[in-house]
Amino acid sequence: MTTMGERVRKKRKELGFTQEDLSGPNFSHAVISLIERDRANPSLKTLEYIAEKLNVNVNYLLYGQEKQIDLSNDITSKLAIIPSLLKLTKFKEAKKAIHEINEESVNTDQLGEYIKLKGDIEVGLGNYSEAVSHYKNALIYTTLLNIETLIEVYTKISDCFINLKDYQLAIENAQQGLLLFRFYQSKVNPFTKLQLYYNLSLSYCRISEFKKGLQCISTAFAYMEETHCYYFQNLFYMLEGLAYLYTSKFKEGIKSTLMAIKHMEKSNSTELIGCHTNLGILYREIRDYKKSLVNLEKSLELSIMHNNSWNLLNTNLEIALTYFLIGDYKSSEIICQKQLENTNNRSELFVKITLLLAFIKFKSDSNEEALELVIEAEKLSKAIGGYGLLSKVFILKSKIFNAQGNHQEAINALNTALNNCKGDSYDNLSFFLE
């Protein structure tokens, strides 16, 4: 009879897992090695963790009593392996495993799960359009008898559309999931409902429907209190703070963002970068520049820690803006020049930094340098499709032409700015209009 260690090793190799794959949050691959050589006596909790990853019963690991199924012939067992591969982020291996299953041999009652797994694999690979196609097919084969799976699929479709930046379709699918939840909520995990509320809130905010976003967030908080389930609480607070920023309710935004930081500060997550950036902007809007800089510097520190280039550039822009608004043009100019010299990413952030530097030059009466920078910003905006920034480009152009005495060109530039004006609810370059 085989030992427990031999059974762990045998099953692990059957699935193509490494010892590292089986390691957990509280034990390393070295512990797995000791277990396989029968030199360690793992706790029941550890065995349950390993058994779940190996897709076997704990009794099999302990006593070898679970009946082993021929994986080459049993569809159920083959399908059961795939979630384990997904948990281990082995998406290519999962795709290979599911392609080895003949779809025609899958029972009708398993077909919905089979197609959903195909979608899960594509999500793991970052192929969101393909995932949506699979999930929609999965809906066809998933009945109301499997209501939890049905709602889960609508949640996943909503997630995909958020990643595809199609927020209207994300809203429609989140609403469909919530509609089903209304009639079958006793059978569905509350975590799923909060995920749907978050997707809905986020999507509304992404299309600037902040009032609807805030209503969804309020409903989600009420549901948390009702169920004592506080899933996503930190992200809801972060989103609420951002929505208040864009609706110019800065003090309310500060309260919400501080709550978000309170719930995620120990985690050092990348979301914490965004929270401190948002808080820095909110404090700047109420002219508390000291607290603004403290939070933006914290965001910069976290961006460096996480090696997050986009947040690094964004935070530097916000710090430069704060220095500019308190009249420290020199510090603002140094930051802008350093970012333009060290950044190859020609994004909207790069254009904004170029425009800010141009405005500093203009305020310092260096009109020729300012005009050169504005022309460069105009070219970059058109090249990257950043037409929302063109209004700022032409407003600044108009100011420079007017200062140079080119009044007709100034009027022409101003008319062009008006034609490109988007009228966003919040704009960190709004001082261009002053």
Side-chain angles (χ1 to χ4, degrees):
M1 183 179 175
T2 57
T3 65
M4 180 181 68
E6 289 170 340
R7 287 190 288 275
V8 171
R9 183 171 61 250
K10 178 176 179 291
K11 198 67 180 173
R12 174 176 65 79
K13 289 188 174 182
E14 278 181 12
L15 296 172
F17 293 169
T18 65
Q19 290 178 340
E20 185 68 39
D21 292 335
L22 284 192
S23 62
N26 298 316
F27 56 92
S28 67
H29 65 91
V31 173
I32 298 296
S33 176
L34 290 171
I35 291 171
E36 290 187 352
R37 288 180 286 140
D38 295 305
R39 296 181 64 183
N41 187 22
S43 67
L44 183 58
K45 187 175 180 180
T46 298
L47 281 178
E48 286 173 345
Y49 181 89
I50 294 170
E52 183 183 358
K53 282 198 171 184
L54 294 175
N55 193 39
V56 295
N57 190 285
V58 174
N59 283 337
Y60 169 72
L61 296 183
L62 287 171
Y63 312 114
Q65 291 178 352
E66 183 181 53
K67 181 181 177 182
Q68 293 302 289
I69 302 169
D70 183 358
L71 296 179
S72 63
N73 296 317
D74 189 84
I75 299 298
T76 302
S77 295
K78 285 184 177 180
L79 286 175
I81 290 170
I82 293 166
S84 296
L85 291 169
L86 293 175
K87 284 179 184 177
L88 296 167
T89 67
K90 293 197 167 193
F91 305 118
K92 290 181 180 178
E93 292 89 338
K95 190 166 187 174
K96 181 181 177 183
I98 207 161
H99 280 169
E100 290 174 355
I101 298 173
N102 181 0
E103 187 168 333
E104 293 180 359
S105 65
V106 179
N107 296 332
T108 306
D109 59 345
Q110 293 177 309
L111 204 51
E113 178 64 18
Y114 166 76
I115 299 171
K116 182 179 78 69
L117 285 171
K118 279 189 169 185
D120 293 345
I121 292 166
E122 295 302 334
V123 166
L125 293 168
N127 302 324
Y128 299 108
S129 294
E130 290 87 343
V132 167
S133 180
H134 287 308
Y135 287 142
K136 286 183 176 179
N137 287 333
L139 289 175
I140 297 170
Y141 296 98
T142 307
T143 69
L144 290 173
L145 294 174
N146 295 313
I147 189 65
E148 189 163 2
T149 301
L150 203 59
I151 294 174
E152 181 189 354
V153 172
Y154 277 114
T155 307
K156 289 174 181 286
I157 294 174
S158 179
D159 288 338
C160 288
F161 280 126
I162 287 172
N163 280 288
L164 292 167
K165 295 181 169 53
D166 191 333
Y167 300 111
Q168 194 57 53
L169 285 176
I171 288 168
E172 289 174 14
N173 283 278
Q175 287 175 330
Q176 187 64 45
L178 286 168
L179 184 65
L180 288 170
F181 208 111
R182 183 184 303 174
F183 296 106
Y184 300 95
Q185 65 180 33
S186 61
K187 299 181 180 179
V188 183
N189 193 322
F191 292 117
T192 306
K193 190 171 186 179
L194 287 171
Q195 174 76 66
L196 287 165
Y197 276 135
Y198 183 76
N199 287 1
L200 198 57
S201 305
L202 177 64
S203 298
Y204 275 133
C205 290
R206 293 294 189 197
I207 60 173
S208 299
E209 292 196 29
F210 298 107
K211 187 175 180 180
K212 289 183 179 179
L214 286 166
Q215 287 173 344
C216 288
I217 292 168
S218 178
T219 304
F221 281 138
Y223 183 70
M224 289 179 195
E225 292 299 320
E226 177 190 331
T227 59
H228 303 289
C229 175
Y230 298 95
Y231 186 58
F232 274 15
Q233 188 179 34
N234 55 346
L235 296 181
F236 275 112
Y237 275 123
M238 182 181 178
L239 186 57
E240 185 179 51
L242 194 62
Y244 281 135
L245 169 64
Y246 276 85
T247 51
S248 301
K249 296 180 178 178
F250 304 124
K251 290 184 179 179
E252 292 91 334
I254 288 169
K255 289 178 183 178
S256 297
T257 308
L258 284 170
M259 287 297 292
I261 290 171
K262 179 183 176 182
H263 284 87
M264 66 173 74
E265 197 157 26
K266 292 180 181 179
S267 67
N268 264 336
S269 64
T270 53
E271 286 84 6
L272 198 55
I273 300 173
C275 280
H276 280 289
T277 301
N278 295 344
L279 194 55
I281 296 169
L282 286 159
Y283 276 124
R284 186 174 68 211
E285 289 298 330
I286 63 168
R287 305 192 180 199
D288 190 335
Y289 298 115
K290 184 177 180 180
K291 286 184 179 178
S292 174
L293 286 171
V294 166
N295 280 281
L296 291 172
E297 291 290 349
K298 179 64 176 178
S299 176
L300 191 64
E301 176 190 325
L302 291 168
S303 298
I304 294 168
M305 182 190 303
H306 288 278
N307 195 26
N308 191 313
S309 58
W310 186 92
N311 278 306
L312 196 60
L313 190 61
N314 182 59
T315 305
N316 272 299
L317 168 62
E318 297 298 345
I319 291 172
L321 281 168
T322 302
Y323 278 125
F324 177 86
L325 290 172
I326 61 178
D328 188 349
Y329 295 165
K330 189 65 179 175
S331 294
S332 184
E333 182 179 352
I334 289 170
I335 292 169
C336 288
Q337 286 179 331
K338 184 178 179 182
Q339 296 311 303
L340 294 180
E341 288 168 6
N342 297 336
T343 304
N344 295 319
N345 182 9
R346 298 303 189 260
S347 61
E348 287 197 7
L349 285 176
F350 190 93
V351 177
K352 284 187 174 185
I353 292 172
T354 305
L355 278 174
L356 178 56
L357 184 58
F359 201 73
I360 292 168
K361 296 293 184 183
F362 168 71
K363 297 289 278 187
S364 306
D365 296 323
S366 301
N367 291 323
E368 290 300 325
E369 288 183 79
L371 188 58
E372 286 179 17
L373 287 163
V374 168
I375 291 169
E376 180 64 21
E378 181 183 352
K379 289 178 184 176
L380 286 170
S381 295
K382 291 176 178 177
I384 65 174
Y387 295 103
L389 290 169
L390 283 176
S391 61
K392 311 296 184 304
V393 168
F394 286 105
I395 286 170
L396 188 48
K397 243 187 182 182
S398 177
K399 288 176 181 287
I400 296 167
F401 284 142
N402 190 58
Q404 292 176 327
N406 300 325
H407 301 302
Q408 187 56 54
E409 289 186 65
I411 291 169
N412 293 340
L414 189 58
N415 285 331
T416 305
L418 291 171
N419 291 332
N420 284 278
C421 187
K422 292 268 184 181
D424 292 337
S425 51
Y426 173 78
D427 180 5
N428 59 359
L429 298 181
S430 59
F431 56 82
F432 273 39
L433 299 171
E434 298 172 0

